[in-house]
Amino acid sequence: ETNTLPFHPFEMQQGDILRMEKEHQVLKEQLKGAEEKYEQLQSRSSEEISALKELLKKSVEETEVSKNELDWFHQDLEIQVKKWQQEKKENQEHLKALRNTAKKHTDTNDRYLKTIDEKEKQYNVYLNTYLKTSNKLANEKVKLEELIKKSQDDCKECVKRAVKAEISVLKNWKETEVYKLNGVAANAEVNLKMLKSLSSSASAAPKLKSQIDSWEIFISNVKKQLEKVQAEYEEKIQMVKNGVQNCLTKMETVELPSP
């Protein structure tokens, strides 16, 4: 019967104390495990905190450096922004100038296009006029070429006739001069023959010898002049045949005095 009833006020029913002792033992063991785990966690946390402090220190240093770099970057950025703003301003002014220039070029181009259109219209008018005039001139040219050919043919015929006429005139002049000189030579030969017949007598021969010599010299000079006249007229006739102009000149013959 020992320990068969609850032990008031600690037990509400039989075995509560034993059960509480067991639970207490279990809690002690759990507390001990928790303390060990806490110590492990505290040790690990200390290491992690030390590492984090080092990392924080390094981060602070890097942040300081980054801040300095950021300040430098801000300064450089301000410089670049000012430079960019200046360039932007210059580019805007340049763009404005280019737009003005483009507008001027556009206006000039429009004016040139208008002028080109007007010139093209004038050109078409001139071209049509030229074509009409060209056709008209071509027809006139054909007619003129026909007239020129006919004139050339007539001119050639006239030249041939003129050459024939000049040759005929020169031949007539030559024949006239030759006839005249032959007549003079014939008369001189008759006189010479008569003198020679008269000089057959011994008494008259010395007196007539000088006269006979004079007539012989005279006849020789007439024959020389005859040869000269024939040669010169033949030369002129040949020149006329070769196309030389202004050859129709009469030869001036020297009148030889008779002995």
Side-chain angles (χ1 to χ4, degrees):
E1 294 177 356
T2 302
N3 291 333
T4 57
L5 295 173
F7 180 55
H8 292 289
F10 300 104
E11 289 183 330
M12 296 300 295
Q13 61 184 0
Q14 182 70 28
D16 283 343
I17 294 174
L18 292 174
R19 188 172 58 254
M20 289 177 66
E21 286 179 355
K22 289 179 181 179
E23 290 177 356
H24 181 68
Q25 186 68 31
V26 170
L27 289 173
K28 281 177 73 177
E29 291 177 356
Q30 288 179 353
L31 180 60
K32 183 178 179 181
E35 286 177 353
E36 291 176 356
K37 190 174 181 180
Y38 171 75
E39 289 177 357
Q40 292 176 357
L41 289 173
Q42 189 176 14
S43 177
R44 190 168 63 188
S45 296
S46 297
E47 293 176 356
E48 290 179 355
I49 289 171
S50 297
L52 287 173
K53 285 182 178 179
E54 290 293 329
L55 183 61
L56 179 62
K57 183 179 179 181
K58 185 176 179 181
S59 297
V60 169
E61 292 176 353
E62 290 179 353
T63 302
E64 191 69 26
V65 173
S66 298
K67 184 180 179 182
N68 293 331
E69 291 179 352
L70 184 62
D71 292 337
W72 295 340
F73 176 74
H74 283 161
Q75 292 177 0
D76 186 59
L77 182 61
E78 288 178 358
I79 294 171
Q80 293 295 331
V81 167
K82 289 181 180 178
K83 184 178 179 182
W84 177 78
Q85 288 177 347
Q86 182 65 28
E87 290 179 353
K88 181 181 178 182
K89 184 179 179 181
E90 292 177 355
N91 289 333
Q92 287 177 346
E93 292 177 354
H94 185 60
L95 181 61
K96 184 178 180 182
L98 287 176
R99 285 177 178 172
N100 293 330
T101 304
K103 187 176 183 302
K104 289 180 181 178
H105 288 170
T106 303
D107 296 339
T108 304
N109 189 33
D110 293 338
R111 189 167 62 252
Y112 285 163
L113 288 174
K114 185 177 179 181
T115 304
I116 288 170
D117 291 337
E118 293 176 355
K119 294 294 182 183
E120 188 174 2
K121 291 179 182 178
Q122 291 181 359
Y123 169 76
N124 291 327
V125 173
Y126 291 154
L127 180 61
N128 293 329
T129 305
Y130 166 75
L131 291 175
K132 291 179 182 178
T133 307
S134 178
N135 292 331
K136 184 178 178 182
L137 291 176
N139 295 329
E140 292 181 357
K141 180 183 177 183
V142 172
K143 293 179 182 179
L144 288 174
E145 286 177 349
E146 292 176 355
L147 290 174
I148 289 170
K149 187 175 182 302
K150 185 175 182 301
S151 298
Q152 287 177 345
D153 295 338
D154 294 342
C155 181
K156 288 179 181 178
E157 186 64 27
C158 291
V159 169
K160 288 180 181 178
R161 289 168 58 190
V163 168
K164 288 182 181 179
E166 287 184 7
I167 291 172
S168 178
V169 170
L170 290 172
K171 284 182 178 180
N172 287 333
W173 285 347
K174 183 186 81 169
E175 289 174 358
T176 300
E177 292 297 324
V178 168
Y179 178 78
K180 183 170 122 177
L181 291 173
N182 281 329
V184 172
N187 291 330
E189 287 178 353
V190 169
N191 292 331
L192 179 62
K193 186 176 180 181
M194 185 174 59
L195 287 173
K196 285 183 176 180
S197 63
L198 291 174
S199 66
S200 59
S201 62
S203 60
K207 295 178 181 179
L208 296 176
K209 187 174 184 312
S210 61
Q211 293 185 18
I212 290 170
D213 293 339
S214 297
W215 280 103
E216 287 179 347
I217 292 170
F218 176 74
I219 292 170
S220 176
N221 291 332
V222 170
K223 288 182 177 181
K224 287 180 181 179
Q225 189 171 7
L226 179 61
E227 291 175 356
K228 182 180 179 183
V229 167
Q230 287 178 332
E232 288 189 4
Y233 274 112
E234 286 297 329
E235 183 180 359
K236 287 187 177 184
I237 290 170
Q238 191 61 40
M239 289 172 67
V240 171
K241 289 181 179 179
N242 292 334
V244 180
Q245 297 180 355
N246 299 324
C247 294
L248 195 62
T249 54
K250 193 171 183 180
M251 238 186 102
E252 295 294 333
T253 56
V254 179
E255 191 73 26
L256 295 175
S258 299

